[in-house]
Amino acid sequence: MRNQWGHIRRWTPRRRWTAATLAICVPLVGLWFLLRLLGLEIVANVAGLVSLIVPLTTGVIGWARTRQQPPVPAAEPSPAAVSELVATITETMDRVQHSIDRQRALAGGLTEMRDRLTQAAERLTGRRQALRLQLAAQETGEPAERDQLKAENARLRRELAETQERLRAAERLRDDVERRLAEAERRHSEAQQLHRQASTQAEQATRRLADHKMLPAGPHTVHSTAGPAIEAAKLMGQADQERARQILEQVDQVLHQDADTLRQARHDLTESATTVDRFENAGARDESAQHANPPAGNAALPSITKVALAAFAFLTSVAIGTLIAYLLGWLSPPRDTIWTFATDGSVSSSPAVAYATVYVGSEDHKVYALDARTGDLRWTFITGGPISSSTAVSDGIVYVTSTDKNVYALNATTGTLVWSRSTRGPITSSPTVANGVVYFGSDDNRVYAIDAENGTVRWVHSTGDDVSSSPVVADGTVYVGSTDTKVYALNAVTGIERWNRSMGDSVFSSPAVNGGTVYIGGYNATVYALNAVNGAIRWTYTTGNFVYSSPAVVNGVVYVGSHDNRVRALNAATGKR
């Protein structure tokens, strides 16, 4: 255990706090991801918040703790480390000395070139003055003599122009040499300064070895290598100018190389100076004495490290346990689509859910019973025509109508037929079950009341046209619309008509009854509110297109859609939006 935890004990406080923060935050983030995957948003948000708070808190505490830590005395340097430092400084001194020698040689060659260029410029200046005097003498002579000396005059002018051009070239080259000479002297001074710095560091490191009787202290000798001398040009012609330019290009290369050398030497000396200072400030405490008697086991670990390890183990166990539960299916995340089931036809029917089962009809002539949790098929029942109406479930029986003109009662568990009753027309009206009676309309212009238990007809009421509207039963009255434009109120027990009210156009909408008022939509783009007792119109609201939608009434508000692509919310008492 002593070797196992030794490297952690030697960590700096800042590293311990950083490791502790990571040990807690990493499993927290993993746990947050798993909880989000499982849809546990509240718990996941708590885990995410904690994963943000923990690094902030531990960072502040760790900063405060590290500020209180006493300074750790520097360990005594080993002889090998000091010897290596001396070798490094010596190598740097050799490079700097080589640069000093090269700069000295450059300075000498450039000085000589500058002197020769100065001499050449003086000679050219004298030659230019002599040519100007000869030309002046010719111009002041006799006219006859001037005619004879025209050719000599032209030659002198050409020579004068050439001399002036050479003089300008010599002056430009001398300026270039002056600049490079100044740069060489500056580099030479910089190299000498670095060499003195390296010598001082070498003496300090060597003295430290001598103090430990590892080697005798003494002067350090550097074997230098002289740089190449620079030849100067006489600058008497074009070839001399080209040679001078080539020499200056070589000078530029040497200056560039020495700049890189000095830059690297400065960097190396900065690092070695840091090491020398650390060696000079090292305390007398020996590193082996610091760890001679460490506590047994992991008791030497800082408290924050032990807490972090315990938190890491706990949170990792929770995250792994959650992941295993998810993989085994013990935890099921909510999904946008839990399941789908494909029928052989379009589905216009609204499903009914009871006994953990979904009951729905399809235009493939079938009634389906599906497991509400998995969507697995439990049973099917085949009718003689498409089913567009919705199913109704009551007392273990599923009631469904079909366009094959029949109404069916099916066992909710097995799907077996309990009874059926035929009408004279297709049925698209959805059945309503109340007080042991099944109510529905048919396209044979009739409203039917059928005994829910055995399928016998209780009563039939005739209207003037198809009945596609689904009946609603409230307070002993059946309310239903017809395509003969009327809404009917029938006695639920006897079928006797209590009242009817014309809407002015066909009624496909199914009524909603609330608070003594019947709400229903018409094909004439109007929503009606009728008195449930006598059918009197309480208010109307005009939409932009016909209303097939069946209203819903909640908390004094009527919600209804229409074919003008709008859904409206109307005041149930006034019909105002």
Side-chain angles (χ1 to χ4, degrees):
M1 292 295 285
R2 174 178 174 180
N3 294 332
Q4 181 179 358
W5 301 104
H7 65 288
I8 297 181
R9 289 195 299 270
R10 290 191 293 271
W11 280 4
T12 62
R14 181 175 300 175
R15 181 177 294 181
R16 292 178 194 143
W17 281 95
T18 301
T21 302
L22 291 177
I24 297 175
C25 288
V26 169
L28 271 176
V29 172
L31 186 60
W32 168 82
F33 177 77
L34 282 175
L35 293 173
R36 287 294 299 271
L37 184 65
L38 296 171
L40 303 176
E41 296 292 338
I42 297 178
V43 182
N45 290 337
V46 172
L49 183 62
V50 173
S51 66
L52 292 177
I53 294 176
V54 166
L56 294 177
T57 305
T58 54
V60 172
I61 297 176
W63 175 81
R65 292 288 299 273
T66 54
R67 296 279 292 181
Q68 299 173 358
Q69 293 291 332
V72 179
E76 182 72 13
S78 64
V82 179
S83 298
E84 182 179 359
L85 177 62
V86 171
T88 301
I89 297 175
T90 301
E91 191 273 336
T92 304
M93 288 177 60
D94 291 342
R95 285 188 281 122
V96 173
Q97 183 61 49
H98 179 70
S99 177
I100 291 174
D101 295 341
R102 293 217 301 181
Q103 297 298 337
R104 186 182 296 116
L106 281 178
L110 289 171
T111 300
E112 182 180 356
M113 177 178 283
R114 182 192 60 186
D115 295 341
R116 291 190 180 184
L117 287 171
T118 301
Q119 294 174 3
E122 292 174 353
R123 289 197 302 271
L124 290 171
T125 301
R127 178 60 178 165
R128 181 182 65 181
Q129 186 64 27
L131 290 173
R132 286 177 176 175
L133 291 175
Q134 291 182 21
L135 285 172
Q138 290 180 1
E139 291 176 355
T140 57
E142 295 298 328
E145 294 178 355
R146 288 200 302 270
D147 293 339
Q148 294 175 1
L149 296 176
K150 284 183 179 181
E152 180 66 16
N153 186 287
R155 184 188 65 78
L156 290 174
R157 288 183 181 279
R158 287 194 300 272
E159 185 175 351
L160 176 60
E162 182 180 354
T163 301
Q164 289 176 335
E165 179 62 28
R166 288 188 178 186
L167 178 59
R168 286 192 292 270
E171 290 173 346
R172 287 195 299 270
L173 285 173
R174 184 176 59 187
D175 292 341
D176 291 341
V177 171
E178 288 283 358
R179 285 195 298 271
R180 287 166 175 79
L181 179 59
E183 178 68 16
E185 291 175 349
R186 186 180 69 81
R187 295 281 171 77
H188 182 266
S189 176
E190 181 182 358
Q192 287 182 324
Q193 182 180 359
L194 290 175
H195 191 273
R196 287 192 296 271
Q197 180 181 350
S199 298
T200 302
Q201 293 181 8
E203 290 175 1
Q204 292 174 341
T206 305
R207 185 171 57 253
R208 188 152 190 82
L209 288 176
D211 292 342
H212 288 79
K213 298 180 181 181
M214 288 179 261
L215 56 83
H220 176 70
T221 302
V222 177
H223 302 283
S224 61
T225 302
I230 298 179
E231 300 178 0
K234 297 179 180 180
L235 200 69
M236 297 302 293
Q238 185 65 29
D240 297 326
Q241 296 181 32
E242 292 296 331
R243 176 59 181 160
R245 293 191 185 95
Q246 293 175 2
I247 292 174
L248 291 181
E249 289 178 358
Q250 296 176 3
V251 169
D252 290 339
Q253 293 178 1
V254 173
L255 290 175
H256 181 72
Q257 294 173 359
D258 279 351
D260 293 340
T261 300
L262 295 180
R263 188 181 303 108
Q264 183 62 39
R266 189 180 299 106
H267 174 74
D268 295 343
L269 289 175
T270 300
E271 291 186 348
S272 59
T274 303
T275 306
V276 169
D277 291 341
R278 187 170 68 251
F279 287 174
E280 287 293 323
N281 297 329
R285 182 179 179 182
D286 187 74
E287 184 177 3
S288 60
Q290 298 179 14
H291 306 288
N293 299 305
N298 62 353
L301 288 176
S303 59
I304 181 60
T305 306
K306 292 187 286 187
V307 171
L309 290 174
F312 177 79
F314 172 74
L315 293 173
T316 302
S317 300
V318 172
I320 293 176
T322 305
L323 179 60
I324 292 175
Y326 170 69
L327 294 177
L328 293 177
W330 297 342
L331 296 174
S332 298
R335 292 163 287 181
D336 294 338
T337 302
I338 297 178
W339 54 260
T340 60
F341 182 87
T343 68
D344 296 326
S346 59
V347 179
S348 302
S349 170
S350 298
V353 181
Y355 320 119
T357 304
V358 178
Y359 303 96
V360 65
S362 171
E363 294 193 9
D364 62 4
H365 304 189
K366 296 177 182 179
V367 180
Y368 293 88
L370 309 174
D371 187 290
R373 188 176 67 87
T374 64
D376 294 336
L377 178 64
R378 291 186 170 175
W379 54 258
T380 62
F381 180 85
I382 302 176
T383 70
I387 301 172
S388 58
S389 62
S390 302
T391 56
V393 184
S394 177
D395 295 331
I397 303 297
V398 178
Y399 302 93
V400 61
T401 60
S402 173
T403 55
D404 66 359
K405 306 179 182 180
N406 289 299
V407 58
Y408 297 90
L410 310 174
N411 185 289
T413 303
T414 63
T416 57
L417 178 65
V418 177
W419 55 258
S420 68
R421 180 64 60 187
S422 64
T423 68
R424 297 178 182 178
I427 306 175
T428 56
S429 171
S430 299
T432 299
V433 183
N435 302 319
V437 181
V438 181
Y439 302 93
F440 62 93
S442 173
D443 285 355
D444 62 4
N445 306 347
R446 296 177 178 181
V447 179
Y448 288 84
I450 307 295
D451 188 285
E453 183 177 355
N454 53 39
T456 58
V457 177
R458 292 280 187 93
W459 54 257
V460 176
H461 183 83
S462 297
T463 70
D465 206 339
D466 298 343
V467 180
S468 299
S469 174
S470 299
V472 171
V473 181
D475 299 326
T477 303
V478 178
Y479 301 93
V480 65
S482 172
T483 56
D484 66 1
T485 75
K486 295 179 181 179
V487 175
Y488 293 86
L490 309 175
N491 184 294
V493 177
T494 64
I496 297 174
E497 184 176 306
R498 291 181 171 172
W499 56 260
N500 68 73
R501 176 66 61 183
S502 176
M503 302 289 101
D505 207 337
S506 299
V507 178
F508 296 95
S509 171
S510 298
V513 181
N514 184 274
T517 302
V518 179
Y519 303 93
I520 195 166
Y523 198 74
N524 58 355
T526 303
V527 180
Y528 293 89
L530 308 177
N531 187 301
V533 176
N534 55 29
I537 298 177
R538 290 185 168 173
W539 55 257
T540 62
Y541 180 89
T542 303
T543 68
N545 209 331
F546 51 85
V547 180
Y548 278 169
S549 171
S550 299
V553 186
V554 179
N555 297 327
V557 179
V558 179
Y559 302 93
V560 64
S562 73
H563 274 240
D564 61 358
N565 304 334
R566 286 175 172 80
V567 177
R568 292 174 172 82
L570 309 176
N571 187 294
T574 64
K576 304 296 184 180
R577 284 196 298 175

